Amino acid sequence: MLNQIITSLLETDLYKFSMGQAIYHQFPSYTTTWSFKCRNKDVHFTEEMVEEIKRQIKLYCELQFTEDELEYLSSITWFQRSYVDFLRLWHPRFEEYTITTDAECGLFIETKGTWLNTSMYEIPTLAIVNEVYFRMQYDYDDLYESFKEKLQEKVNWLVTGKYKIGAFSEFGIRRRLSAQAQELAVIELKKAHLDGSLFVGTSNVYLAKKHGLKPVGTMAHEWIMCVGQGNHKHNPAYSNWYALDAWVKEYGVLNGTALTDAITTDCFLRDFQLTYATLFSGVRHDSGDPMEWGDKMIAHYDKLGLDATTKTLLFSDSLDFERAHKINEYFKGRAKVAFGIGTYIANDTKVPALNIVMKTTECNGQDVAKISDVAGKGMCKNPDYVDYLQRCIDWRMNHE
């Protein structure tokens, strides 16, 4: 039996609250289904692990926000009193989870309920699954030692200027080795004197509050998928327009980093015209070749008559410091560049990290899907719906 893993409802990514407020104000009746998937083919969760995961999720569901935590959220510019008051009453519901051993990897997890609730479950659930697995599958103390050694080496690379990556944040909560490991990484990066790199914060709101760092995060694919595809009267090829419009309605010019690859970046650019491109401070890359994507975004800003050097290109796809260094060098002087780096910072040990996800698979009783810039990142249960979505996108791209 392990110690409680999630001890605060702040222990999630900031974008869950950013999306949560917009859901609360604009889509409170939407319902979603979320499904867990382990992409590692050689990983198996034992019955003992599954029971411990259940126990940990029950403990998480007993948590409530403290007044101190709510005061902290209120201090973030774009959060409104109405949403913070809602969080004062909110807590997770274990009744909305289904957890069994009925899966190829030995662990089946599904959550069903209002989008307002189920969206909040994703990150803590994945953090719990990760930590339970690594503590019960391996000699954790030995793994943690290898983590510390690798972390020190990586921090030294930034201190000595071997890699200069500019501004970057830690994004690792969902795939971290453990809460202990993630916190150590944040502490070490905060206190280090870096040469050519700037550690600006973490997506983990709990750690940001605890260590006086900037909490970082705007929107995830679920936002575009549910806003764009949850209303069954919408043409899903216009998912980005609906999502961007609702975001601007909620936040205006605040909190504006647009995610481009929910239904391909090319389709996104059809909707990311002058108004949105001006209002949003930048865009986030999460699939496909980062250099090609960045070139495409800069060309798009140029076409619209906007100065790309005033916009941020945020990269967050499977990064390490070497890749980030190359990307930073490539775009130097052409745009602002920033990085969100997750697994490489929070779970780099002598054994492979888990590649686990929880994705929205239904919204309002109907399938939803993501079609990224590369194959293999989607998780829709219904191939017919993916085919329908792809045909809608193709028709728009070829006829508009």
Side-chain angles (χ1 to χ4, degrees), residues 3 21 27 41 75-76 86 124 133 146 162 164 170 183 195 222 234 267-268 288 322 339 397:
N3 292 333
Q21 176 171 285
F27 307 101
K41 296 303 181 187
S75 73
I76 298 171
F86 161 73
Y133 178 79
S146 74
K162 177 181 180 180
K164 299 183 179 184
E170 187 278 323
E183 182 163 23
D195 178 10
E222 66 175 279
H234 289 172
C267 193
F268 168 84
E322 182 179 5
F339 301 96
M397 298 302 290

Side-chain angles (χ1 to χ4, degrees), residues 11 13 127 140 144 147 151 170-174 176-189 202-205 207 211 345-347:
E11 197 153 16
D13 284 328
Y140 171 78
Y144 186 62
F147 171 82
L151 175 65
E170 187 278 323
F171 271 28
I173 183 171
R174 72 185 60 209
R176 67 190 185 186
L177 171 65
S178 64
Q180 178 188 30
Q182 187 186 20
E183 182 163 23
L184 178 68
V186 164
I187 290 169
E188 292 300 313
L189 287 166
T202 174
S203 64
N204 184 327
V205 185
L207 290 181
H211 295 287
I345 291 176
N347 196 355

